[in-house]
Amino acid sequence: MFVANSLVDLYCKSADMVYALKLFEEIPRPNTVTWNAMISGYKQNSLFEDSWRTFCMMHSFGFEPNEFTYGSALSALSALQSPLCGKQVYSLVVKNGLFSNGYVRSGIIDLFAKSCSLGDALRVFYDVYCENVVCWNAIISGAVKNKENWVAFDLFFQMCHRFVMPNSFTFSSILTACAAIEELYLGKGVQGWVIKCGAGNDVVVGTAIIDLYARCGDMDEALKEFWRMPVRNVVSWTAMISGFVQEDDFISALQFFKEMTKLEEEINNYTITSVLSACADVNMVKEAIQIHCWIFKTGFYSDSIVKASLMNMYSKIGDIDLSETLFKETEYLKDLSMWAAMISAFAQNERSGKAIDMFQKMLQEGLKPNNFCISSVLSIVNSLNLGRQIHCYTLKAGLVFDVSVGSSLFTMYSKCGSLVESCEVFQQIDGKDNVSWASMISGLAEHGCADQAFQLFREMLFEEAVPDEMTLTAVLTACSAIHSLIIGKEVHGYALRGGFGKKVLVSGALVNLYSKCGALDMARRVFDLMSVKDPVSCSSLVSGYARNECIEDALLLFHEMQMDNFEVGSFTLSSLLGALSLLNRLGIGTQLHAHIVKIGLESEVSVGSSLIMMYSKCGSIDDCRKVFEHIKKPDLISWTTMIASYAQHGKGVEALTVYEHMKESGINPDAVTFIGVLSACSHNGLVEEGYFHLNSMAKDYGIEPNYRHYACMVDLLGRSGKLKEAENLIKNMPIEPDSLVWGTLVAACKMHGDTELGKLAAKRVIELEPCDAGAYVSLSNMCADVGQWEEVLKIRHVMEGIGVKKDPGLSFV
């Protein structure tokens, strides 16, 4: 029997399972050792279903499994991710009295953890008090793999308190958890344990320490730990290269790779994908081509993972055609990773048509798109009908329950304006991750549903999900949208308690929140505490100062940005120009214009529009025209700003000419544009043209005139002396006239001396706006003009009775 068992084991270890099975079937009375050899052999040769089937046969024939039998069977089920069968095996284990065996229990824990059933794994772990380090390692590793990193920390602390000595496997798992949530302080504590326990020379532990520092952005310390390692492997080198790539230090990443090749270290496809990520930059085209040649020379070109990374690299440096060529050169087009990479490349380069065509071709070829393909396609879908069709496909294919697909679906619905469907998809996602929560909160905030965004954040906390940097940023953005300073401060407090207060994204969102809410002292305090000041937070604070007319503070910070070589965006410049126009600071505005020309942003639409507005408010209409001519592709705002500028300076003909040019360029006007057009007609007495454009709004563009449009028409008729016609226009308005419309008529009556109509209009204004001091003053002046002094006294008594006072005049002189 010993010889037969040895032969079966030999065939299994030689991967010759056919002969092993033949020999097994010829053994008249196989024992437990024979069965174990077959079950283990199938498992070692990745024939997991055969391994499980053999275990079932063994059990049905009445043989008593031992700890090794259970270990092999559980390992096979772990690979098959079959927790249901695992529960059946666990029942047998309990029945046979082996539930306290550390080897068996670690196998069950590992099975449940790998099947995303961490709760079951924890129940098995806590069933029996355990001092076996293997069981502790299995449950800690399982928690880390399920992204329950704080659970892993709690287990590690329990392990230490029970005086169970951690080993290198424990340390590598817990260091991985620290790296995953960038908990450097805790990681350093674990590193102290590593040194104390003498595990510092272990290559796996050393690599985990390097990865911790690299993920937390401390590459100097990662480099020191790397060179301290007595033995380095391919994972250690790859961790360093990935760390440099994460910090956008592409040169160091490539230098490390060059050193790696020079020392003839082992290189795998993960190393190459990290190097290709370093080359995925428009400034690294030369290096990208060199690495491509090296890959071709060393034989990695046939690796589908490497080829997919090559396609992604060329996509990111803007050469999508080369990505497509690589895809067409692929011999084995059944590999989903290649299709996914190509679809993603098209999506990244906004080639939505080609991405969708590629997706359809996949289906025609009989391939089943995976979650990555679906997510990439959904990211560029802007048609609700097409999005619903893809949604139907995910339902049929069973991919709708995948978190990444679900997140892409509700983001697509949100982007297409269907917030109801977006919320429905979100609620159906099981096991929502932080990306899902953050995306849904952002979607609600972008659609003006800030209250729902806050409610969703509360639900997240109620479900004991731990918000991360991205989620808190989304909530703070929602606070900014509705200028909710109170809720923003509460979120700020939560961020500080959770250790996120100094994170760049969160700090930037806080600066933006406080700036928008006018709490500039708080905004500055948060900004000054930031360890790394990014251009976004600087721009937010500059814009906040500008909006609150703190122009000196805005310019000083802007100067600091220049000194620190921060890239200044159009948003910052537009905010500064807006503040300068309000304060009529043409001198500083001209200097800023010179700087804009120097950095090449003069042709940018938003900056150009702000320059036009500034020069218009400062009375320099010729400079407005010159700026407008330098804008490459004026948008609706640019055209409207130019029309309004001409109108405000009494150049009605020029304003209407610009309006005609705008229509010729294919841009349709909006309601604001028509205010500028009607103002131009008003300043030049163009009554017929005014009526034409007022009627054109609804007739040609489907825009219903509002109060401001009618006020412009009343002003036009009033300036032309057609006061009765203006009165009739007001009476025939399809909407109830407001105080602005009647107030415009009051001004026209005062200009032309029509006291009776002016008094009537003024009384209407007072009815609508009882606290409008201007209406009382206008009515009083008209009465005084015709000698009705008693009426003047009555009006003044009324003003005193309701507490209305005339605002004193101001002058810059």
Side-chain angles (χ1 to χ4, degrees), residues 9 148 202 271 311 417:
D9 186 54
E148 295 289 349
D202 186 278
T271 315
M311 289 161 60

Side-chain angles (χ1 to χ4, degrees), residues 678 689-698 705 709-710 713 729:
L678 293 172
E689 288 84 350
Y691 275 119
F692 171 78
H693 290 301
L694 183 70
N695 295 328
S696 173
M697 289 179 66
H709 299 108
Y710 284 110
M713 278 304 300
L729 176 68

Side-chain angles (χ1 to χ4, degrees), residues 591-620:
Q591 293 176 41
L592 191 57
H593 187 181
H595 177 74
I596 289 166
V597 173
K598 185 179 178 181
I599 61 177
L601 285 177
E602 190 180 20
S603 59
E604 209 277 332
V605 178
S606 62
V607 175
S609 300
S610 298
L611 278 168
I612 293 169
M613 190 175 293
M614 181 200 71
Y615 282 123
S616 175
K617 293 272 181 77
C618 295
S620 183

Side-chain angles (χ1 to χ4, degrees), residues 604-673:
E604 209 277 332
V605 178
S606 62
V607 175
S609 300
S610 298
L611 278 168
I612 293 169
M613 190 175 293
M614 181 200 71
Y615 282 123
S616 175
K617 293 272 181 77
C618 295
S620 183
I621 192 66
D622 288 335
D623 286 321
C624 291
R625 177 183 52 77
K626 290 174 185 176
V627 170
F628 183 77
E629 288 171 354
H630 279 92
I631 299 175
K632 282 185 180 178
K633 289 183 179 180
D635 61 359
L636 177 61
I637 296 171
S638 308
W639 286 103
T640 302
T641 307
M642 196 64 228
I643 292 167
S645 298
Y646 273 131
Q648 287 165 7
H649 287 77
K651 295 182 178 290
V653 176
E654 289 87 344
L656 294 177
T657 302
V658 172
Y659 173 66
E660 292 302 323
H661 287 324
M662 184 189 83
K663 292 195 294 181
E664 288 169 8
S665 71
I667 295 177
N668 289 330
D670 65 357
V672 180
T673 312

Side-chain angles (χ1 to χ4, degrees), residues 410-713:
F410 73 70
T411 302
M412 179 272 298
Y413 280 123
S414 175
K415 189 170 62 177
C416 293
S418 182
L419 206 57
V420 174
E421 287 175 285
S422 179
C423 292
E424 286 175 358
V425 173
F426 176 78
Q427 294 299 338
Q428 290 168 8
I429 297 175
D430 289 326
K432 301 175 185 71
D433 59 7
N434 279 333
V435 176
S436 308
W437 288 103
S439 300
M440 193 68 238
I441 290 168
S442 297
L444 290 166
E446 286 168 9
H447 285 80
C449 302
D451 290 337
Q452 290 182 45
F454 299 144
Q455 182 58 37
L456 196 62
F457 181 61
R458 293 187 190 100
E459 284 180 28
M460 181 182 182
L461 298 176
F462 183 75
E463 292 187 17
E464 297 183 353
V466 181
D468 61 2
E469 186 178 1
M470 190 164 49
T471 316
L472 291 170
T473 303
V475 178
L476 288 167
T477 303
C479 295
S480 302
I482 60 169
H483 295 188
S484 179
L485 187 59
I486 294 173
I487 298 176
K489 285 183 175 180
E490 291 175 1
V491 177
H492 189 179
Y494 182 90
L496 289 170
R497 289 193 299 275
F500 295 103
K502 293 185 180 180
K503 296 287 183 182
V504 175
L505 279 176
V506 174
S507 296
L510 283 166
V511 171
N512 184 49
L513 165 71
Y514 288 128
S515 298
K516 283 190 174 180
C517 294
L520 296 177
D521 290 339
M522 282 295 294
R524 185 72 200 211
R525 197 179 304 169
V526 173
F527 179 79
D528 290 338
L529 288 171
M530 290 176 70
S531 55
V532 178
K533 295 174 176 61
D534 64 326
V536 177
S537 55
C538 286
S539 296
S540 297
L541 189 53
V542 168
S543 302
Y545 281 136
R547 278 194 301 270
N548 288 276
E549 299 182 13
C550 301
I551 192 65
E552 289 186 9
D553 291 320
L555 289 170
L556 282 171
L557 185 56
F558 177 74
H559 179 68
E560 287 177 26
M561 288 178 71
Q562 298 298 300
M563 297 301 292
D564 291 335
N565 295 319
F566 276 150
E567 183 180 344
V568 180
S570 55
F571 177 73
T572 309
L573 292 168
S574 297
S575 300
L576 274 173
L577 288 166
L580 292 170
S581 65
L582 288 171
L583 298 174
N584 200 19
R585 305 287 287 272
L586 183 58
I588 299 174
T590 306
Q591 293 176 41
L592 191 57
H593 187 181
H595 177 74
I596 289 166
V597 173
K598 185 179 178 181
I599 61 177
L601 285 177
E602 190 180 20
S603 59
E604 209 277 332
V605 178
S606 62
V607 175
S609 300
S610 298
L611 278 168
I612 293 169
M613 190 175 293
M614 181 200 71
Y615 282 123
S616 175
K617 293 272 181 77
C618 295
S620 183
I621 192 66
D622 288 335
D623 286 321
C624 291
R625 177 183 52 77
K626 290 174 185 176
V627 170
F628 183 77
E629 288 171 354
H630 279 92
I631 299 175
K632 282 185 180 178
K633 289 183 179 180
D635 61 359
L636 177 61
I637 296 171
S638 308
W639 286 103
T640 302
T641 307
M642 196 64 228
I643 292 167
S645 298
Y646 273 131
Q648 287 165 7
H649 287 77
K651 295 182 178 290
V653 176
E654 289 87 344
L656 294 177
T657 302
V658 172
Y659 173 66
E660 292 302 323
H661 287 324
M662 184 189 83
K663 292 195 294 181
E664 288 169 8
S665 71
I667 295 177
N668 289 330
D670 65 357
V672 180
T673 312
F674 276 109
I675 292 171
V677 170
L678 293 172
S679 294
C681 295
S682 174
H683 283 88
N684 288 267
L686 304 173
V687 177
E688 290 184 10
E689 288 84 350
Y691 275 119
F692 171 78
H693 290 301
L694 183 70
N695 295 328
S696 173
M697 289 179 66
K699 181 182 175 183
D700 299 327
Y701 302 103
I703 303 169
E704 292 299 325
N706 60 33
Y707 301 115
R708 294 193 66 186
H709 299 108
Y710 284 110
C712 288
M713 278 304 300

Side-chain angles (χ1 to χ4, degrees), residues 300-319:
F300 279 102
Y301 194 69
S302 58
D303 188 291
S304 61
I305 295 174
V306 172
K307 206 160 197 179
S309 295
L310 269 170
M311 289 161 60
N312 183 53
M313 177 191 73
Y314 282 119
S315 164
K316 287 186 175 178
I317 62 177
D319 199 340

